[in-house]
Structures are given as C-alpha cells and as structure tokens.
Amino acid sequence: MRDVARLAGVSHQTVSRVLNDLPNVSDGTRSRVLDAVRILNYRRNLAARTLVTSRSRTIGLIGFETTLAGPASMIYGIEKAAREAGYYVSIATVRSLDRHAVLDAVEQLCAQAVEGIIAIAPKNSVADALAQAPPGTPTVGVGGADDGAVPMLRVDNVRGACLATRHLLELGHRTVHHVPGPADWPEGRDRIDGWRQTLHAAGAPVPPVTAGDWSARSGYLRGQLLAADPGVTAVFCGNDHIALGVLRAFHEAGRSVPDDASIVGFDDMPESGYFLPPLTTVHQDFAELGRRSVDLLVARLAGTPAPTAPVHLPPSLVVRASTVTRR
C-alpha cells in the first residue's frame, strides 16, 4: 500500500480510503490511486484487512453433493447475489445431510473468519446444525427445513402443488395422481399436502401415494404402474426429474402425453422446456431466493432481528405442451 501511495503521490491513508470506496477523495486523486494499483498489480492482503477491520467481507455457503436442479440453482443464485452485494463466498460441500457433517462444515467456515453462513437446508438436520454456529455468526437457511431452528427462506411448496393440481382439475380431469419425492424431505411433504388439499377442496378422489426419491428412475418405476392404468389421466410429479421418468414410462406404454394423460412437474429446470413434449411445471425463482437470502443475512449482520417465521416466496405455473384440456 505504501508503494501505491508513493507512486500516486498521496498518503497511505488516502490509498486505504480509495480501496475501501470511502468518500472525501477527489476524482483526480482517486484516479491516480487506481492507476497506481493497476501499474503495480497491487492486491490487498485479505487476512491483514480482516485483522484491522474485523470484517472479512466473506459469506460462508454450505451445499451438498447433488445433481438435483433445485439445490444447484440455489447455490448459483446465492453466490451471484453475494457478489453483487460486495461479498466473497467461501463454499463448503457436505457429502450427506446429517448433523455431524454440517457441523464440520460450519466449523470449517468459521475458521476462515466468514461473517455469516447461508446453508441449503432441505432437511431439519441441516437447520439444527446451523443453529449451533458460534455466537456472533448469523445464519440463514434456504430450503424446506421447517423446525424453526434458524431463519429460513423457501419457495411456498404447498402453493406450488396447489397451482399444479388445480391446473389439471380445471382441464377436466376427474382426479390427479401424484408421484412424490422422499418422505423425509419437508419440501416433498409440503407438495403432497398441497396436492391433497386441492383435491379435497374440489371434492375429487385422493389416490394413494408411495414415497420415492427425486430421480428420473423413481419417476419411471412409478410411472410404469400409472401408465398401465387407463383411468390415470393426470399426474403431478414432485420435481422435473421425476416427470422425465414418468414421461418415458407413458411413452413406452403407448400412451400419448398430453392426449391420453397430462403431466406436470415442479422446479422448471432449464431443460424442462426441451422435454418431449415440453413440460408444464411449477417455476421456482432461484435468483430471487438467492438475493433475498443474502439480503436477510446482511440485515442480520447489521443487527436487524431475525424474522420469527419462515419467509415464503410465491411460485408460478409455467404451462407448456404436456398438459391439455381433457376430451
């Protein structure tokens, strides 16, 4: 920093003010300092800066190993929002969602002097571990965890399931079958609840459900059973991967989608519009989810009390060619 000051002809305090984007520096002086920074290829020592300012400008982000579109899109949205807010992001990835693995990730991030932690929290075990972060390290969970252990942001999965189910009923289907995700994920349970509530409200029969997982294979296996029943004309799937498997099962059974059966997914992953046929699905705004989660964490860093209830973001229905009016 003293080398930059010498080249720019200013004090090192002025260099510090420019680098920290503080006021009361003339445009000409700011320009000379920035030119000197470029000429000398100066890079700030973040560790030293953290010691001086007690601010690392770094957010910890906990994710988990997955190929699922939802969690991966959440991580991207959070990282993008953090950069736009002027924060670096340090990511810790866990192999499983058990409490001990998440606690290890929290400890790892705290050792890097992160100012706060955001975690993808599809299960309560993640939120419970996040609540054990050291005092003074604010935390925020993003996802379906519903035990109130930490401030949470999530898409309103019940409402999303209602949108999908109501859409199919309004197309003239007598009832809607559901191919769910795993029973131990609150998001999966919420989507079952929304589907079931909508059928009850419409006075429609409620078919039995069998929990699976979030994979296309799970959708395919369940889809084979549904496709064999000519009375099945509408299927709401727990996510778009499941819907992909169901689509294949119906195709192999010689049942046309949407002429013989309408199918709806959940997530609106980028590939969903390129399924055959293009998939009607529930859209989750992952970019907005990332921005709101970073905003909440930054507000907590500034001393704003955490919300006492989860923050729900409304989903929307994207209608494509996999659903049609029942003939």
Side-chain angles (χ1 to χ4, degrees):
M1 189 179 292
R2 292 186 184 279
D3 291 337
V4 171
R6 188 178 302 110
L7 181 60
V10 299
S11 68
H12 73 274
Q13 292 94 337
T14 298
V15 173
S16 178
R17 296 185 68 82
V18 171
L19 295 178
N20 288 294
D21 200 25
L22 297 176
N24 301 323
V25 179
S26 70
D27 291 341
T29 299
R30 189 179 301 274
S31 179
R32 291 204 313 277
V33 170
L34 293 177
D35 285 344
V37 166
R38 283 189 290 270
I39 291 170
L40 296 174
N41 195 28
Y42 171 74
R43 296 291 182 272
R44 284 181 286 183
N45 185 319
L46 293 180
R49 183 186 180 204
T50 299
L51 287 173
V52 172
T53 65
S54 298
R55 297 290 304 276
S56 66
R57 301 295 297 181
T58 301
I59 290 174
L61 175 57
I62 299 176
F64 61 99
E65 293 184 358
T66 180
T67 58
L68 295 175
S73 298
M74 288 180 193
I75 289 175
Y76 174 76
I78 292 166
E79 189 174 16
K80 181 175 183 293
R83 288 199 307 270
E84 292 173 350
Y87 284 84
Y88 301 98
V89 176
S90 180
I91 299 178
T93 302
V94 297
R95 291 188 175 182
S96 64
L97 294 172
D98 66 86
R99 184 171 177 274
H100 293 294
V102 179
L103 281 173
D104 286 344
V106 169
E107 184 176 345
Q108 173 189 333
L109 291 171
C110 287
Q112 299 174 34
V114 298
E115 296 189 23
I117 298 174
I118 299 175
I120 308 302
K123 290 185 175 183
N124 291 338
S125 57
V126 179
D128 292 342
L130 205 57
Q132 303 303 310
T137 304
T139 59
V140 171
V142 181
D146 57 3
D147 64 354
V150 295
M152 289 293 305
L153 289 97
R154 66 171 71 102
V155 169
D156 191 337
N157 289 283
V158 173
R159 176 172 172 75
C162 289
L163 290 173
T165 307
R166 188 180 304 120
H167 170 67
L168 291 166
L169 292 174
E170 289 175 348
L171 292 176
H173 297 277
R174 174 174 171 269
T175 190
V176 178
H177 288 73
H178 181 43
V179 183
D184 60 343
W185 283 51
E187 289 171 324
R189 294 196 297 268
D190 284 349
R191 293 172 195 179
I192 291 175
D193 288 345
W195 162 77
R196 186 176 285 126
Q197 290 171 19
T198 306
L199 292 181
H200 280 309
V206 181
V209 292
T210 302
D213 57 41
W214 296 117
S215 70
R217 180 179 183 275
S218 180
Y220 175 70
L221 294 175
R222 181 62 179 158
Q224 287 178 311
L225 300 175
L226 295 176
D229 181 353
V232 176
T233 64
V235 183
F236 164 48
C237 301
N239 73 356
D240 290 352
H241 287 99
I242 292 172
L244 178 61
V246 172
L247 284 170
R248 177 180 170 179
F250 272 70
H251 174 75
E252 290 182 352
R255 300 194 60 192
S256 171
V257 177
D259 294 331
D260 298 328
S262 290
I263 295 175
V264 178
F266 202 114
D267 277 345
D268 192 23
M269 64 185 193
E271 297 83 4
S272 299
Y274 299 92
F275 287 8
L276 190 62
L279 183 67
T280 294
T281 185
V282 177
H283 174 75
Q284 302 191 67
D285 191 340
F286 294 113
E288 178 65 8
L289 197 62
R291 186 186 67 79
R292 294 279 292 273
S293 65
V294 171
D295 285 349
L296 177 55
L297 185 64
V298 171
R300 295 202 65 200
L301 288 168
T304 302
T308 56
V311 178
H312 288 90
L313 274 64
S316 58
L317 185 69
V318 179
V319 178
R320 298 192 180 104
S322 66
T323 56
V324 71
T325 302
R326 179 72 173 155
R327 296 173 183 175

